Amino acid sequence: MFSHVILGVNDIEASKRFYDAVLGALGIKPGIHNHNGVVDRYFYRTPTGSFGITQPLNGEPATHANGGTVGFNMTSPEQADAFHAAGIAFGGTTCEDPPGWREGSVGRLYLAYLRDPDGNKLCALYRPPKV
């Protein structure tokens, strides 16, 4: 559904360590450095899309979107737990309910929420196959 998602960060190297860890739990290679002549950025690319972190181009501090969430698809509850644990180990903080199964209007989901070092909210989401 998305071609790319880019988040603003304040400490580009700390954020790279965080995202290398959480996205590494999904089998995604470490971020590729890019300097566009103004700021440093890192991009994580897969065949289905790109995720990037950047220092804000306007020179202002990065802030998180209150109410915003970036969701990452997981292949299992264990992968969601690994994503969450890697995030906590590399400067993230848990938020919402603890990782686990939730029942809702879209059915049963396994969710693990955390915030990155800049406060951006992330969600590891596993949707079991329909039987």
Coordinates of all heavy atoms in Angstrom, one line a residue, residues 32-103:
I32 N 21.1 2.1 4.5 CA 22.1 2.6 3.6 C 22.2 4.1 3.8 O 21.2 4.8 3.7 CB 21.7 2.3 2.1 CG1 21.6 0.8 1.9 CG2 22.8 2.9 1.1 CD1 22.8 0.0 2.2
H33 N 23.4 4.7 4.0 CA 23.6 6.1 4.2 C 23.4 6.9 2.9 O 23.7 6.5 1.8 CB 25.0 6.3 4.7 CG 25.3 7.8 5.0 ND1 26.0 8.6 4.2 CD2 24.9 8.6 6.0 CE1 26.1 9.8 4.7 NE2 25.4 9.8 5.8
N34 N 22.8 8.0 3.1 CA 22.5 9.0 2.0 C 22.7 10.4 2.6 O 22.2 10.7 3.6 CB 21.1 8.8 1.5 CG 20.7 9.8 0.4 OD1 20.3 10.9 0.8 ND2 20.9 9.5 -0.8
H35 N 23.5 11.2 1.9 CA 23.6 12.6 2.3 C 23.2 13.4 1.1 O 23.7 13.3 0.0 CB 25.0 13.0 2.7 CG 25.1 14.4 3.1 ND1 24.8 14.7 4.4 CD2 25.5 15.5 2.5 CE1 25.0 16.1 4.6 NE2 25.4 16.5 3.4
N36 N 22.1 14.1 1.2 CA 21.5 14.8 0.1 C 22.1 16.2 -0.1 O 21.5 17.1 -0.8 CB 20.0 14.9 0.2 CG 19.5 15.8 1.3 OD1 20.3 16.3 2.1 ND2 18.3 16.1 1.3
G37 N 23.2 16.5 0.5 CA 23.8 17.9 0.4 C 23.4 18.8 1.5 O 24.0 19.8 1.8
V38 N 22.4 18.4 2.3 CA 21.9 19.2 3.4 C 22.0 18.4 4.7 O 22.5 18.8 5.7 CB 20.5 19.7 3.2 CG1 20.0 20.5 4.4 CG2 20.4 20.5 1.9
V39 N 21.4 17.2 4.7 CA 21.3 16.3 5.9 C 21.7 14.9 5.6 O 21.7 14.5 4.5 CB 19.8 16.4 6.5 CG1 19.4 17.8 6.9 CG2 18.8 15.8 5.5
D40 N 21.9 14.2 6.7 CA 22.2 12.7 6.6 C 20.9 12.0 6.7 O 20.0 12.4 7.5 CB 23.1 12.3 7.7 CG 24.5 12.7 7.5 OD1 25.0 12.5 6.4 OD2 25.1 13.4 8.4
R41 N 20.8 10.9 6.0 CA 19.6 10.0 6.0 C 20.1 8.6 5.9 O 21.1 8.3 5.4 CB 18.6 10.4 4.8 CG 18.3 11.8 4.8 CD 17.3 12.2 3.7 NE 17.9 12.0 2.4 CZ 17.3 12.3 1.2 NH1 16.1 12.9 1.3 NH2 17.9 12.1 0.1
Y42 N 19.2 7.6 6.3 CA 19.4 6.2 6.0 C 18.1 5.6 5.5 O 17.0 6.0 5.9 CB 19.8 5.5 7.4 CG 21.2 5.8 7.8 CD1 21.4 6.8 8.8 CD2 22.2 5.0 7.3 CE1 22.7 7.0 9.2 CE2 23.5 5.3 7.7 CZ 23.8 6.3 8.7 OH 25.1 6.5 9.1
F43 N 18.3 4.7 4.5 CA 17.2 4.1 3.9 C 17.3 2.6 4.0 O 18.4 2.0 3.9 CB 17.1 4.4 2.4 CG 16.6 5.9 2.2 CD1 17.5 6.9 2.0 CD2 15.3 6.2 2.2 CE1 17.1 8.2 1.8 CE2 14.9 7.5 2.0 CZ 15.8 8.5 1.8
Y44 N 16.1 1.9 4.3 CA 16.0 0.5 4.4 C 15.0 0.1 3.3 O 13.9 0.6 3.2 CB 15.4 0.1 5.8 CG 16.2 0.6 6.9 CD1 16.2 1.9 7.4 CD2 17.1 -0.2 7.5 CE1 17.0 2.4 8.4 CE2 17.9 0.2 8.6 CZ 17.8 1.5 9.0 OH 18.6 1.9 10.1
R45 N 15.5 -0.7 2.4 CA 14.7 -1.0 1.2 C 14.4 -2.5 1.1 O 15.2 -3.4 1.5 CB 15.5 -0.6 -0.1 CG 15.8 0.9 -0.1 CD 16.3 1.4 -1.4 NE 16.9 2.7 -1.4 CZ 16.3 3.8 -1.3 NH1 15.0 3.8 -1.2 NH2 16.9 5.0 -1.3
T46 N 13.2 -2.8 0.7 CA 12.8 -4.2 0.4 C 12.1 -4.2 -0.9 O 11.8 -3.1 -1.5 CB 11.8 -4.7 1.5 OG1 10.5 -4.0 1.3 CG2 12.3 -4.5 2.9
P47 N 11.8 -5.3 -1.5 CA 11.0 -5.3 -2.8 C 9.7 -4.7 -2.7 O 9.1 -4.3 -3.7 CB 10.9 -6.8 -3.1 CG 12.0 -7.5 -2.3 CD 12.2 -6.7 -1.1
T48 N 9.1 -4.5 -1.5 CA 7.7 -4.0 -1.4 C 7.7 -2.6 -0.9 O 6.6 -2.0 -0.8 CB 6.9 -4.9 -0.4 OG1 7.5 -4.9 0.8 CG2 6.7 -6.3 -1.0
G49 N 8.8 -1.9 -0.6 CA 8.8 -0.5 -0.2 C 10.1 -0.1 0.5 O 11.0 -0.9 0.7
S50 N 10.1 1.2 0.9 CA 11.3 1.7 1.6 C 10.8 2.4 2.9 O 9.8 3.0 2.9 CB 11.9 2.8 0.7 OG 12.5 2.1 -0.5
F51 N 11.8 2.4 3.8 CA 11.6 3.1 5.1 C 12.8 3.9 5.3 O 13.9 3.4 5.1 CB 11.4 2.1 6.2 CG 11.3 2.7 7.6 CD1 10.2 3.4 8.0 CD2 12.4 2.8 8.4 CE1 10.1 4.0 9.2 CE2 12.4 3.4 9.6 CZ 11.2 4.0 10.0
G52 N 12.7 5.2 5.7 CA 13.8 6.0 5.8 C 13.8 6.8 7.1 O 12.7 7.1 7.7
I53 N 15.0 7.2 7.6 CA 15.1 8.1 8.7 C 15.9 9.3 8.3 O 16.9 9.1 7.5 CB 15.7 7.4 10.0 CG1 17.0 6.8 9.7 CG2 14.7 6.4 10.6 CD1 17.7 6.2 10.9
T54 N 15.6 10.5 8.7 CA 16.3 11.7 8.2 C 16.3 12.7 9.3 O 15.4 12.8 10.1 CB 15.6 12.2 7.0 OG1 16.4 13.3 6.5 CG2 14.2 12.7 7.2
Q55 N 17.4 13.5 9.3 CA 17.4 14.8 10.0 C 16.4 15.7 9.2 O 16.4 15.7 8.0 CB 18.8 15.4 10.1 CG 19.8 14.5 10.8 CD 21.2 14.9 10.5 OE1 21.6 15.1 9.4 NE2 22.0 14.9 11.6
P56 N 15.6 16.5 9.9 CA 14.7 17.4 9.2 C 15.4 18.3 8.3 O 16.4 18.9 8.6 CB 13.9 18.1 10.3 CG 14.0 17.1 11.5 CD 15.4 16.5 11.4
L57 N 14.9 18.4 7.0 CA 15.5 19.3 6.0 C 15.5 20.8 6.4 O 16.3 21.6 6.0 CB 14.8 19.1 4.7 CG 15.1 17.8 4.0 CD1 14.2 17.6 2.8 CD2 16.5 17.6 3.6
N58 N 14.5 21.2 7.3 CA 14.3 22.6 7.6 C 15.2 23.0 8.8 O 15.2 24.1 9.2 CB 12.9 22.9 7.9 CG 12.3 22.2 9.1 OD1 13.0 21.5 9.8 ND2 11.0 22.4 9.4
G59 N 16.0 22.1 9.3 CA 16.9 22.4 10.4 C 16.3 22.4 11.8 O 16.9 22.6 12.8
E60 N 14.9 22.3 11.9 CA 14.2 22.3 13.1 C 14.3 20.9 13.8 O 14.6 19.9 13.1 CB 12.7 22.6 12.9 CG 12.5 24.0 12.3 CD 12.9 25.1 13.3 OE1 12.6 25.0 14.5 OE2 13.4 26.1 12.9
P61 N 14.1 20.8 15.1 CA 14.1 19.5 15.7 C 13.0 18.6 15.2 O 11.9 19.1 14.9 CB 13.9 19.8 17.2 CG 14.2 21.3 17.4 CD 13.9 21.9 16.0
A62 N 13.3 17.3 15.1 CA 12.3 16.3 14.7 C 11.3 16.1 15.9 O 11.8 16.1 17.1 CB 13.0 15.0 14.4
T63 N 10.1 16.0 15.6 CA 9.1 15.7 16.6 C 8.2 14.5 16.1 O 8.1 14.3 14.9 CB 8.2 16.9 16.9 OG1 7.5 17.3 15.7 CG2 9.0 18.1 17.5
H64 N 7.6 13.8 17.0 CA 6.8 12.7 16.7 C 5.3 13.2 16.4 O 4.9 14.2 16.9 CB 6.8 11.6 17.7 CG 6.3 12.0 19.0 ND1 7.1 12.7 19.9 CD2 5.1 11.9 19.6 CE1 6.4 12.9 21.0 NE2 5.2 12.5 20.9
A65 N 4.6 12.4 15.6 CA 3.2 12.7 15.3 C 2.3 12.1 16.4 O 2.3 10.9 16.6 CB 2.8 12.1 14.0
N66 N 1.7 13.0 17.2 CA 0.8 12.5 18.2 C -0.4 11.8 17.5 O -1.1 12.5 16.7 CB 0.3 13.6 19.1 CG -0.5 13.1 20.3 OD1 -0.3 12.0 20.7 ND2 -1.3 13.9 20.8
G67 N -0.7 10.6 17.8 CA -1.7 9.8 17.1 C -1.3 9.1 15.9 O -2.0 8.3 15.4
G68 N -0.1 9.3 15.4 CA 0.5 8.6 14.3 C 1.1 7.3 14.7 O 1.7 7.2 15.8
T69 N 1.1 6.3 13.8 CA 1.7 5.0 14.0 C 2.2 4.5 12.7 O 1.5 4.6 11.7 CB 0.7 4.0 14.6 OG1 0.1 4.5 15.8 CG2 1.4 2.6 14.8
V70 N 3.4 3.9 12.7 CA 3.9 3.2 11.5 C 3.9 1.7 11.8 O 4.4 1.3 12.8 CB 5.4 3.6 11.2 CG1 5.9 2.8 10.0 CG2 5.5 5.1 10.9
G71 N 3.1 1.0 11.0 CA 2.9 -0.5 11.3 C 3.8 -1.3 10.4 O 3.9 -1.0 9.2
F72 N 4.4 -2.3 10.9 CA 5.3 -3.2 10.2 C 4.6 -4.6 10.2 O 4.3 -5.1 11.3 CB 6.7 -3.3 10.8 CG 7.5 -2.0 10.6 CD1 7.4 -1.0 11.6 CD2 8.3 -1.8 9.5 CE1 8.2 0.1 11.5 CE2 9.0 -0.6 9.4 CZ 8.9 0.3 10.4
N73 N 4.5 -5.3 9.1 CA 3.9 -6.6 9.0 C 4.9 -7.6 9.5 O 6.1 -7.5 9.3 CB 3.6 -7.0 7.5 CG 2.3 -6.3 7.1 OD1 1.3 -6.3 7.8 ND2 2.3 -5.9 5.9
M74 N 4.4 -8.6 10.3 CA 5.2 -9.6 10.9 C 4.8 -11.0 10.3 O 3.6 -11.1 9.9 CB 5.1 -9.7 12.4 CG 5.4 -8.4 13.1 SD 7.2 -8.1 13.1 CE 7.2 -6.4 12.5
T75 N 5.7 -11.9 10.4 CA 5.3 -13.3 9.9 C 4.9 -14.2 11.0 O 4.4 -15.3 10.7 CB 6.5 -13.9 9.1 OG1 7.6 -14.0 10.1 CG2 6.9 -13.1 7.9
S76 N 5.1 -13.8 12.3 CA 4.7 -14.6 13.4 C 4.6 -13.7 14.7 O 5.3 -12.7 14.7 CB 5.7 -15.7 13.6 OG 6.9 -15.2 14.0
P77 N 4.0 -14.2 15.7 CA 4.1 -13.5 17.0 C 5.5 -13.4 17.5 O 5.9 -12.4 18.1 CB 3.2 -14.3 17.9 CG 2.2 -15.0 17.0 CD 3.0 -15.3 15.8
E78 N 6.3 -14.5 17.3 CA 7.7 -14.5 17.7 C 8.5 -13.4 17.1 O 9.4 -12.8 17.7 CB 8.3 -15.9 17.5 CG 7.7 -17.0 18.3 CD 6.3 -17.5 17.8 OE1 6.0 -17.3 16.6 OE2 5.6 -18.1 18.6
Q79 N 8.2 -13.2 15.8 CA 8.9 -12.1 15.1 C 8.5 -10.7 15.6 O 9.4 -9.9 15.8 CB 8.7 -12.2 13.6 CG 9.5 -11.2 12.8 CD 9.3 -11.2 11.3 OE1 8.2 -11.2 10.9 NE2 10.4 -11.3 10.5
A80 N 7.3 -10.6 16.0 CA 6.8 -9.3 16.6 C 7.5 -9.1 18.0 O 7.9 -8.0 18.3 CB 5.3 -9.3 16.8
D81 N 7.6 -10.2 18.7 CA 8.3 -10.1 20.0 C 9.8 -9.8 19.8 O 10.4 -9.0 20.6 CB 8.2 -11.4 20.8 CG 6.8 -11.6 21.3 OD1 6.0 -10.7 21.4 OD2 6.5 -12.8 21.6
A82 N 10.4 -10.3 18.8 CA 11.8 -10.0 18.5 C 12.0 -8.6 18.1 O 13.0 -7.9 18.5 CB 12.4 -11.0 17.5
F83 N 11.1 -8.1 17.3 CA 11.1 -6.7 16.9 C 11.0 -5.8 18.1 O 11.8 -4.8 18.3 CB 9.9 -6.5 15.9 CG 9.7 -5.1 15.4 CD1 10.2 -4.7 14.2 CD2 9.0 -4.1 16.1 CE1 10.0 -3.4 13.7 CE2 8.7 -2.9 15.7 CZ 9.2 -2.5 14.4
H84 N 10.0 -6.1 19.0 CA 9.8 -5.3 20.2 C 11.0 -5.3 21.1 O 11.5 -4.3 21.6 CB 8.5 -5.8 20.9 CG 8.1 -5.0 22.0 ND1 8.5 -5.2 23.3 CD2 7.3 -3.9 22.1 CE1 8.0 -4.3 24.1 NE2 7.2 -3.5 23.4
A85 N 11.6 -6.5 21.3 CA 12.7 -6.7 22.2 C 13.9 -5.9 21.7 O 14.7 -5.3 22.4 CB 13.0 -8.2 22.4
A86 N 14.2 -6.0 20.4 CA 15.3 -5.3 19.8 C 15.1 -3.8 20.0 O 16.1 -3.1 20.3 CB 15.4 -5.6 18.3
G87 N 13.9 -3.3 19.8 CA 13.6 -1.9 20.0 C 13.9 -1.4 21.4 O 14.5 -0.4 21.6
I88 N 13.5 -2.2 22.4 CA 13.7 -1.8 23.8 C 15.2 -1.9 24.1 O 15.7 -1.0 24.7 CB 12.9 -2.8 24.7 CG1 11.4 -2.7 24.5 CG2 13.3 -2.5 26.2 CD1 10.8 -1.3 24.6
A89 N 15.9 -2.8 23.5 CA 17.4 -3.0 23.8 C 18.2 -1.8 23.2 O 19.3 -1.5 23.6 CB 17.9 -4.3 23.2
F90 N 17.6 -1.1 22.1 CA 18.3 -0.1 21.4 C 17.7 1.3 21.6 O 17.7 2.1 20.7 CB 18.5 -0.4 20.0 CG 19.6 -1.5 19.8 CD1 19.3 -2.8 19.9 CD2 20.9 -1.1 19.5 CE1 20.3 -3.8 19.7 CE2 21.9 -2.0 19.4 CZ 21.6 -3.4 19.5
G91 N 17.1 1.5 22.8 CA 16.7 2.9 23.1 C 15.2 3.2 22.9 O 14.8 4.3 23.2
G92 N 14.4 2.2 22.5 CA 13.0 2.4 22.4 C 12.3 2.2 23.8 O 12.9 1.8 24.7
T93 N 11.0 2.6 23.8 CA 10.2 2.4 25.0 C 8.9 1.7 24.6 O 8.3 2.1 23.6 CB 9.9 3.7 25.7 OG1 9.3 4.6 24.8 CG2 11.2 4.4 26.3
T94 N 8.5 0.9 25.5 CA 7.2 0.2 25.2 C 6.1 1.2 25.4 O 6.2 2.1 26.2 CB 7.1 -1.1 26.1 OG1 6.0 -1.9 25.6 CG2 6.8 -0.8 27.5
C95 N 5.0 1.0 24.7 CA 3.8 1.8 24.9 C 2.6 1.0 24.6 O 2.7 -0.1 24.1 CB 3.8 3.1 24.0 SG 3.8 2.8 22.2
E96 N 1.4 1.5 24.9 CA 0.2 0.8 24.8 C 0.2 -0.4 25.7 O 0.9 -0.4 26.7 CB -0.1 0.3 23.3 CG 0.0 1.5 22.3 CD -1.3 2.1 22.0 OE1 -2.4 1.5 22.2 OE2 -1.3 3.3 21.7
D97 N -0.6 -1.4 25.4 CA -0.6 -2.7 26.2 C 0.7 -3.5 25.8 O 1.3 -3.3 24.8 CB -1.8 -3.5 25.9 CG -3.1 -2.8 26.3 OD1 -3.0 -2.1 27.3 OD2 -4.2 -3.0 25.7
P98 N 1.0 -4.4 26.7 CA 2.2 -5.3 26.4 C 1.9 -6.1 25.1 O 0.8 -6.3 24.7 CB 2.3 -6.2 27.6 CG 1.5 -5.6 28.7 CD 0.5 -4.7 28.0
P99 N 3.0 -6.5 24.4 CA 2.8 -7.3 23.2 C 1.8 -8.5 23.5 O 1.9 -9.1 24.6 CB 4.2 -7.8 22.9 CG 5.1 -6.8 23.5 CD 4.4 -6.4 24.7
G100 N 0.9 -8.8 22.6 CA 0.0 -9.9 22.8 C -1.1 -9.9 21.8 O -1.2 -9.0 20.9
W101 N -2.0 -10.8 21.9 CA -3.2 -11.0 21.1 C -4.2 -10.0 21.4 O -4.5 -9.7 22.6 CB -3.7 -12.4 21.2 CG -2.8 -13.4 20.5 CD1 -2.0 -14.3 21.2 CD2 -2.7 -13.7 19.1 NE1 -1.3 -15.0 20.2 CE2 -1.8 -14.7 19.0 CE3 -3.3 -13.2 18.0 CZ2 -1.4 -15.2 17.7 CZ3 -3.0 -13.7 16.7 CH2 -2.0 -14.7 16.6
R102 N -4.9 -9.4 20.5 CA -6.1 -8.5 20.7 C -7.2 -9.0 19.8 O -7.0 -9.4 18.7 CB -5.7 -7.1 20.3 CG -4.4 -6.5 20.7 CD -4.3 -6.1 22.2 NE -3.3 -5.2 22.5 CZ -2.0 -5.4 22.5 NH1 -1.5 -6.6 22.1 NH2 -1.1 -4.5 22.9
E103 N -8.4 -8.8 20.3 CA -9.6 -9.1 19.5 C -10.2 -7.8 19.2 O -10.4 -6.9 20.0 CB -10.6 -9.9 20.3 CG -10.1 -11.4 20.6 CD -10.1 -12.3 19.4 OE1 -10.8 -12.0 18.4 OE2 -9.3 -13.3 19.5

